[in-house]
Amino acid sequence: MSLIVLKFGGTSVGSIKKINYVAKIIKKHHHKKNKLIVVSSAMSGVTNDLIKKSKQISKNFDKFEYDVLLSSGEQIACALLSGALLKIGLKSRSWLSWQIPIITKGDHKSSRIISINKKEILKYVNSGGIPIITGFQGISNNRRITTLGRGGSDATAISIAKFFSADDCFIYTDVSGVYTTDPKLNSKAKKIKKISYEEMLEMASLGAKIMQPISLQDAMINDIDINVRSTFINSNGTKISNNQQLFNKNPITGIAFTKNEAKITLIGVMDRPGTAASIFKPLADNQINVDMVVQTSSPDGGQTDITFTIIKDDIKNCIRILKENKKISYKKIIHDDKVSKVSIVGAGMIATPGVTYRMFKALAKKKINITVISTSEIKISVLINQKNIKKAIRVLHKEFDLD
Ligand code: ADP
Ligand code: ASP
Ligand code: MG
């Protein structure tokens, strides 16, 4: 008898009709004589709505209460799902993470699971019951409710698979698996049958919302295979595992993009050792994450321009910190929040020369201007104007034979 973790995302439990449908999927797994642990997200839109409500109270809503508030969406979905299973004759009950408990550490809004008490859940599973566990949350050692970052139900599912040594972990969502790019943005996107942890982690970190990056890190470290599949269409999904795709004939596996970045340029910065550190240290001290950085060269050792990207939400704070920074001098700050980072990802590019050139050439042909570039072994990212995202993805998808 296998132990299987099933995670259902927000759209999968987005209405009563869908919850009843999910109950039938669970019943099918149960009939195959599997032991099941189910994780559910909040119904789609609920978490966003709770965030809006917190902002209506205060822009600086208390971080502890923020987690208590946000975690409530999952409670509703789990109780409804458990109720739906009971209605069709299965033994089920819901658990809030703190009842188990699922212990977390680290910052509120982005805590990490460090341990799970298996006793009660195992006893229930072994008695033929189906536990429905709230995703996205835990309890800290100080007995405060915590949440795991947006999309954090994935992290709960992976952690449960890890701590319970599950045989399989299914992530049920609203698309049929991981695609070469977001299928909602490009109709030519193709489903990927198998993808390595490294590539999937890179895609997710670069904006592919399908899986939470932290959950993938956990899966990679602990070698947990993940099956991503559709709740609504019965087809094989995508397997995320430790497979090597280095010899895949296609150098690029997928294309990811973000829309939540902003670009800041400091014009006329003194070009001397330590300047960059003086600019970025106070940003790091204030939890502002700097992503792409480019500095123009100044052959005469005079002045230079430094451009970098941050999350759009941080823009006001970042400019304030730069203006208050007495350790740096510059002529002007300019910023642009209508930018998007488009990235091509693929382990195959390690062994294929000319990928960068092909990317730049394809974008240039469509007159898409690149303002910042960053690369790693298996990805190339470019910053472009947001109005060109669709066009850029279409042309790159074709250029790298993903259509
Ligand atoms: P869930 O609520 O099930 O967790 P999410 O909305 O978090 O679902 O993630 C699924 C969404 O991810 C899809 O609807 C799709 O629009 C988006 N997505 C982005 N990039 C990709 C990709 N490469 N492959 C599949 N889906 C993607
Ligand atoms: N409900 C949470 C969110 O919207 C967690 C999740 O969906 O995985 O971020
Ligand atoms: Mg998600």
Side-chain angles (χ1 to χ4, degrees):
M1 219 182 199
S2 304
L3 176 68
I4 298 181
V5 175
L6 308 174
K7 177 255 167 176
F8 294 91
T11 351
S12 305
V13 294
S15 66
I16 297 301
K17 196 171 158 198
K18 288 178 179 171
I19 287 176
N20 281 321
Y21 189 73
V22 163
K24 285 186 196 154
I25 296 178
I26 297 173
K27 190 174 182 179
K28 269 191 204 152
H29 282 284
H30 182 73
H31 278 176
K32 287 183 189 156
K33 303 255 173 293
N34 291 314
K35 291 181 181 177
L36 305 176
I37 301 179
V38 176
V39 174
S40 181
S41 299
M43 296 168 84
S44 55
V46 170
T47 312
N48 285 344
D49 191 48
L50 293 168
I51 293 174
K52 249 192 226 157
K53 287 194 165 79
S54 76
K55 285 186 178 156
Q56 283 164 8
I57 294 284
S58 161
K59 275 196 182 129
N60 300 313
F61 194 83
D62 180 80
K63 61 180 187 177
F64 295 95
E65 295 310 330
Y66 182 91
D67 283 18
V68 176
L69 177 69
L70 259 62
S71 68
S72 65
E74 271 67 13
Q75 174 166 351
I76 298 168
C78 286
L80 288 171
L81 185 51
S82 187
L85 289 174
L86 288 164
K87 190 183 71 179
I88 56 174
L90 296 175
K91 178 176 169 180
S92 178
R93 70 153 275 200
S94 62
W95 262 270
L96 306 185
S97 301
W98 66 265
Q99 292 175 298
I100 298 174
I102 294 179
I103 308 286
T104 64
K105 74 162 190 186
D107 271 354
H108 280 265
K109 279 189 181 180
S110 54
S111 297
R112 304 284 293 263
I113 295 174
I114 49 170
S115 72
I116 300 179
N117 186 343
K118 297 191 294 187
K119 211 170 141 200
E120 208 177 39
I121 298 294
L122 271 183
K123 195 171 156 205
Y124 191 71
V125 167
N126 288 331
S127 75
I130 305 172
I132 315 289
I133 299 175
T134 50
F136 178 54
Q137 59 196 266
I139 184 166
S140 68
N141 279 325
N142 298 330
R143 299 192 44 77
R144 298 299 304 247
I145 299 293
T146 55
T147 59
L148 309 175
R150 296 308 306 270
S153 295
D154 295 332
T156 307
I158 306 295
S159 276
I160 289 180
K162 172 174 86 180
F163 283 104
F164 288 82
S165 308
D167 299 285
D168 271 309
C169 179
F170 289 95
I171 304 289
Y172 278 93
T173 184
D174 61 344
V175 288
S176 293
V178 179
Y179 281 68
T180 46
T181 191
D182 189 342
K184 286 184 184 153
L185 202 92
N186 186 330
S187 58
K188 296 212 166 128
K190 286 262 165 344
K191 189 165 77 186
I192 302 168
K193 280 188 189 154
K194 279 182 176 181
I195 186 167
S196 64
Y197 294 123
E198 288 83 357
E199 287 175 307
M200 190 63 238
L201 179 57
E202 199 77 74
M203 292 259 293
S205 308
L206 294 167
K209 194 183 162 220
I210 181 86
M211 288 287 299
Q212 192 205 32
I214 288 163
S215 70
L216 289 164
Q217 237 170 15
D218 206 15
M220 184 160 86
I221 292 166
N222 296 288
D223 213 359
I224 293 162
D225 287 5
I226 305 167
N227 290 280
V228 182
R229 56 167 62 182
S230 166
T231 301
F232 309 108
I233 296 164
N234 191 6
S235 72
N236 282 334
T238 299
K239 188 166 178 182
I240 307 171
S241 66
N242 200 4
N243 64 66
Q244 293 292 328
Q245 293 207 328
L246 286 175
F247 302 109
N248 184 343
K249 73 175 171 28
N250 202 337
I252 301 305
T253 303
I255 303 172
F257 62 92
T258 59
K259 285 183 186 164
N260 62 342
E261 296 195 64
K263 180 181 75 165
I264 299 213
T265 304
L266 286 173
I267 302 206
V269 180
M270 287 310 293
D271 191 10
R272 48 172 184 250
T275 302
S278 303
I279 292 171
F280 294 124
K281 183 174 182 299
L283 300 183
D285 291 346
N286 284 280
Q287 272 83 47
I288 294 177
N289 208 0
V290 172
D291 180 18
M292 305 166 96
V293 183
V294 66
Q295 178 173 349
T296 53
S297 64
S298 65
D300 56 352
Q303 289 182 346
T304 176
D305 300 340
I306 295 184
T307 298
F308 57 93
T309 61
I310 53 169
I311 299 291
K312 215 183 262 185
D313 283 352
D314 288 336
I315 200 160
K316 264 193 184 159
N317 209 7
C318 180
I319 289 174
R320 181 186 54 77
I321 293 165
L322 289 169
K323 286 186 174 165
E324 285 172 0
N325 189 343
K326 298 273 178 292
K327 290 196 174 148
I328 54 172
S329 69
Y330 53 86
K331 282 192 185 140
K332 204 161 80 175
I333 302 180
I334 41 180
H335 60 92
D336 180 0
D337 64 0
K338 302 269 181 303
V339 291
S340 171
K341 183 171 65 182
V342 174
S343 310
I344 55 172
V345 175
M349 76 169 76
I350 299 174
T352 317
V355 175
T356 317
Y357 164 70
R358 278 172 71 186
M359 181 183 199
F360 295 170
K361 190 186 70 180
L363 293 173
K365 249 190 182 167
K366 292 283 164 193
K367 302 205 168 15
I368 298 171
N369 194 31
I370 301 170
T371 50
V372 189
I373 301 159
S374 77
T375 62
S376 80
E377 250 192 337
I378 64 164
K379 73 115 203 257
I380 305 167
S381 299
V382 293
L383 200 71
I384 61 170
N385 190 312
Q386 214 169 76
K387 70 171 196 270
N388 290 324
I389 298 183
K390 247 187 158 174
K391 197 164 43 160
I393 289 175
R394 214 182 306 126
V395 69
L396 293 173
H397 206 263
K398 190 157 182 242
E399 171 65 32
F400 291 104
D401 305 321
L402 300 173
D403 276 4

